[in-house]
Amino acid sequence: MTDNPILTLDNVTKSFGPVTVIKGVTVNVYPGKVQVLLGENGAGKSTLIKMMAGVHQPDGGRILVDGEKVRLADTNASEALGIATIHQELNLVGSMTVAENICMGRFPRRFGLVDRRTMRNTAKAALDRIGLHIDVDHKVGELGIARQQLVEIAKALSLEARMLILDEPTAALTKREITALFAVVEDLRSRGVGMVFISHHLDEIAAIGNSVSVLRDGEFVAEVPADTSEDELVRLMVGRSIEQQFPRRRDYDGPADTLLEVNGLSTKGLINDVSFSVKAGEIVGLAGLMGAGRTEVLRAIAGVDPYVNGTVHVRGKELPKSSIGAAIRAGVGHVPEDRKAHGLVLGAPVNENIGYATLAATAKSGLVDRRGQRKRAQDVADKLRIRMQNLDQPVGSLSGGNQQKTVFARWIVTNSSVLLLDEPTRGVDVGAKVEIYELMNAITAAGGAVVMVSSELPEVLGMSDRILVMSGGHISGELAGGDVTQDAVMMLAVRDVQRDLEDKLMEDGHE
Ligand SMILES: Nc1ncnc2c1ncn2[C@@H]1O[C@H](COP(=O)(O)OP(=O)(O)OP(=O)(O)O)[C@@H](O)[C@H]1O
Ligand SMILES: [Mg+2]
C-alpha cells in the first residue's frame, strides 16, 4: 500500500487572458517522494507549482491537501499548510541582509522588538545545513547569483515544511553545491517530506527523483519512473530525439584576424592582469569555479564595470573604459549571467527587449528602422523557438527559459561580431540548448568570435576551440586540442583556491 498524497493537483487548467497554458493536468505529491516535473521551456512547469504555492489559482479542476479540497488564495495560505517553495526567479530583497531575508515574514521578537540575535542564529543554522558559510549581515544584493540561490534554499528549508517545491534550484549552482543540496533532499525524503523538483539537467533526475511527470505545451504527456533513460525522457519531452548534443562545427575559412584583444586587465576587486585574444571564427571557453572572476572579465570588456589597468581592443581599435554604448557600437554583444538584474526590461514587450541594442547602436545615426527591426526580431524568435503569444507580450510573463532565449536573441539581431556569453544556456531546455549552439556556430562561421563562460564542463568542452581556465582572478592556464579533459580543467581551476581559502579564513577570524 502506498501512502496517500500530501497534495494533488486534480485535472487543473489555467489561462492567462485568452491563452490556456495548463490543460487538465493531474499531479500527486507523496510523502517521502520526489516528484519531478519535466518539459520544454514554456511547457507549464512553473505555472503548475505556482498553483501549489498559492501564487496562481486554477481556473478549473481542484487542489487537494490530505484529500480535502482547498483554496490556496495566496502564498501565506500555502505556507500555513506546510508547503515551502523555492521559485525559479529569486524572491529575495537585495537591500536586506541575508538574515533578514531568511527570516522574512516571521522575525523573532523579544519585548516587542525584533530579536536580531535569534534571527542571526536562525539564519546561520539554516545556512549551515547546506554548507554555506557567509556573513549573515551581508546585503543579499551584493552576493553573486549562486549564493543568492543558496540563501533562497536555506530560507525555504528553515520553514521546516512537510512539502518542498524546488523550481530549478540547481541552475546556478556548481557541482559541490548541488551535492550538498541533494544530501539535504535525501535527509528530507527520509523524514517523509514530499518534494517537487524541476530541472533541465536530465542527469539529476535519476539521482534525485522517484517519479517524473512529463508535460508538453500545457498538457500531461506521461508519468514514468525517474530511472527512465535520458534519451527516452528527451523523446517524451520534445517529441523527437536529439542527435548531437554539442554540434560544434568549424566552417570559417576567412582570414584569422584578431577580433578581441585583452591586455593586462585588472579591476579593483577581483581580476588581476588578465590577457588573451580571440580570432575570427573561434569559440573560446572561460572555465573556472564560482568567484574565479570569469563574469567580471566579461563585464569589464562589455563596459559594464570599470577597470583600473589594461586595455581592450576590438578589431585593433581600443575601447574606452566603462562605456556600454561604445562596446555595442564596436560590435560587442554581452549576454549577462543575471538576466533579471542586467539583461531585460521585464515590463517591456519582447520586441523592444530584442531590439534594445539595435536601437542603441543606430540611435546615433538617427536611423531607427522599426519595421525592419520587428521582422528581424520575429525571425530570431522563430529560430530560437521563443514561446510567446506575440512580440508584444511583456517579457516578464514569458517562462524563465524563454526569457533567457530573449536575451540571447537581442545580440543575434544586432549582428555582434564579438559575443560575450555568460552561462548562455542556464535554465534552457535540451532542445533549445542545441539551437543556441547552432547560432554560436553560425556566428563563428560568418567570421565572428565568441567568448563563453559556463559552469557546465561538458558544454565548455563540447563547444570551445580553446579553453582558458581562471582561478583567483587570473588565467591559470590554457587548454586546447588533445589536452582538454574535465580533469585538466579542474586542476587549473582549483590552483589558487587553497590560497584564497586561507585568506578567507583570516578574514572570518577578524569578524
Ligand atoms: N503571468 C503570465 N501572463 C501571461 N502568460 C504567462 C504568465 N505566466 C506564464 N505564462 C505563460 O505560460 C506558459 C508556461 O510558462 P511556465 O513559466 O509555466 O513554463 P515552464 O515550463 O516553467 O518553462 P521554463 O522551463 O522556461 O521555466 C508560457 O507560455 C508563459 O509565457
Ligand atoms: Mg519555469
Side-chain angles (χ1 to χ4, degrees):
M1 256 225 31
T2 50
D3 288 319
N4 294 320
I6 299 176
L7 180 143
T8 302
L9 292 181
D10 179 24
N11 197 22
V12 290
T13 57
K14 180 74 194 168
S15 301
F16 293 106
V19 185
T20 305
V21 301
I22 300 290
K23 304 161 187 165
V25 174
T26 297
V27 184
N28 286 299
V29 185
Y30 291 97
K33 296 264 157 59
V34 176
Q35 181 69 36
V36 177
L37 299 183
L38 186 66
E40 289 182 283
N41 296 131
K45 304 175 298 292
S46 294
T47 305
L48 276 183
I49 64 105
K50 282 177 185 166
M51 292 195 239
M52 302 180 184
V55 175
H56 293 320
Q57 286 69 43
D59 305 320
R62 302 181 302 164
I63 303 179
L64 307 174
V65 172
D66 298 324
E68 304 265 324
K69 184 169 184 253
V70 293
R71 188 178 130 74
L72 303 175
D74 52 27
T75 52
N76 292 336
S78 128
E79 274 180 23
L81 289 170
I83 302 167
T85 312
I86 298 165
H87 286 286
Q88 180 174 16
E89 302 299 334
L90 300 174
N91 271 325
L92 302 169
V93 182
S95 58
M96 287 166 72
T97 68
V98 171
E100 287 165 343
N101 269 285
I102 289 177
C103 299
M104 189 145 31
R106 51 197 173 97
F107 287 150
R109 288 186 185 271
R110 206 158 169 254
F111 308 123
L113 297 173
V114 173
D115 178 0
R116 298 201 72 86
R117 178 197 291 243
T118 306
M119 184 168 86
R120 296 175 81 247
N121 287 340
T122 307
K124 273 198 188 126
L127 293 172
D128 261 353
R129 206 155 153 201
I130 49 169
L132 180 62
H133 305 289
I134 52 170
D135 185 350
V136 295
D137 296 324
H138 228 84
K139 294 256 186 319
V140 160
E142 290 163 8
L143 300 174
I145 189 150
R147 294 228 157 87
Q148 291 191 23
Q149 180 77 65
L150 289 167
V151 170
E152 181 99 14
I153 291 169
K155 178 181 166 189
L157 291 176
S158 74
L159 291 171
E160 297 294 346
R162 58 193 290 239
M163 191 179 125
L164 180 66
I165 301 170
L166 304 121
D167 193 352
E168 293 193 41
T170 59
L173 304 187
T174 58
K175 272 249 147 52
R176 216 191 73 221
E177 295 146 352
I178 292 173
T179 308
L181 174 65
F182 282 9
V184 175
V185 168
E186 271 322 321
D187 175 45
L188 294 173
R189 183 179 359 230
S190 71
R191 293 199 276 136
V193 174
M195 285 169 278
V196 182
F197 181 78
I198 299 175
S199 173
H200 288 292
H201 296 141
L202 297 181
D203 53 337
E204 293 174 357
I205 291 175
I208 201 175
N210 292 101
S211 180
V212 185
S213 296
V214 185
L215 297 167
R216 204 188 298 155
D217 212 3
E219 291 183 65
F220 172 81
V221 174
E223 182 163 4
V224 294
D227 59 3
T228 304
S229 75
E230 286 185 29
D231 285 346
E232 176 64 8
L233 291 176
V234 169
R235 210 189 49 75
L236 287 169
M237 180 174 156
V238 303
R240 65 193 152 92
S241 46
I242 287 174
E243 303 288 300
Q244 227 192 333
Q245 224 184 339
F246 304 110
R248 176 68 185 136
R249 283 188 315 272
R250 303 222 39 174
D251 303 333
Y252 176 71
D253 50 13
D257 296 338
T258 298
L259 295 194
L260 174 68
E261 187 164 5
V262 176
N263 245 315
L265 198 69
S266 301
T267 63
K268 236 191 193 141
L270 189 58
I271 322 172
N272 178 18
D273 197 15
V274 166
S275 303
F276 65 94
S277 60
V278 188
K279 291 194 165 64
E282 266 194 315
I283 295 180
V284 170
L286 260 192
L289 301 178
M290 185 169 92
R294 300 164 301 169
T295 291
E296 288 72 15
V297 167
L298 296 195
R299 285 168 61 91
I301 298 170
V304 180
D305 292 337
Y307 42 94
V308 287
N309 271 313
T311 55
V312 175
H313 287 81
V314 175
R315 293 185 187 275
K317 224 176 127 219
E318 183 168 350
L319 280 189
K321 278 179 202 168
S322 358
S323 169
I324 298 175
I328 292 175
R329 282 191 293 278
V332 176
H334 178 219
V335 175
E337 168 182 47
D338 183 352
R339 59 178 178 264
K340 209 169 173 186
H342 308 291
L344 295 170
V345 183
L346 294 177
V350 174
N351 183 41
E352 273 175 33
N353 272 283
I354 293 181
Y356 159 82
T358 332
L359 291 179
T362 53
K364 258 214 154 147
S365 54
L367 296 168
V368 180
D369 168 18
R370 286 196 188 273
R371 187 173 304 168
Q373 185 220 305
R374 207 176 158 84
K375 174 158 185 341
R376 283 192 299 275
Q378 187 66 53
D379 284 348
V380 70
D382 290 346
K383 238 184 225 155
L384 284 168
R385 293 201 255 161
I386 296 179
R387 189 180 298 240
M388 58 187 176
Q389 290 161 33
N390 54 50
L391 283 172
D392 301 313
Q393 185 176 353
V395 84
S397 68
L398 296 185
S399 79
N402 284 301
Q403 291 185 17
Q404 177 68 19
K405 291 195 240 172
T406 306
V407 184
F408 192 81
R410 170 185 297 170
W411 301 108
I412 301 296
V413 163
T414 321
N415 287 329
S416 315
S417 55
V418 175
L419 207 53
L420 311 172
L421 307 177
D422 202 346
E423 308 285 359
T425 64
R426 177 179 286 169
V428 166
D429 71 49
V430 284
K433 271 185 191 161
V434 179
E435 319 285 342
I436 287 183
Y437 300 145
E438 293 287 7
L439 282 171
M440 287 164 63
N441 284 340
I443 286 161
T444 52
V450 174
V451 182
M452 176 177 65
V453 167
S454 168
S455 300
E456 298 204 28
L457 277 183
E459 170 175 284
V460 179
L461 266 55
M463 288 304 294
S464 308
D465 300 307
R466 278 187 294 139
I467 298 175
L468 304 171
V469 186
M470 288 193 69
S471 175
H474 67 266
I475 293 175
S476 53
E478 173 172 343
L479 299 164
D483 300 338
V484 177
T485 60
Q486 295 215 12
D487 285 346
V489 173
M490 283 318 285
M491 287 280 277
L492 288 168
V494 298
R495 193 183 261 180
D496 298 305
V497 168
Q498 192 61 33
R499 196 202 59 205
D500 286 359
L501 216 69
E502 280 158 18
D503 289 353
K504 284 246 164 53
L505 287 175
M506 293 276 288
E507 265 173 46
D508 288 349
H510 287 300
E511 216 193 48

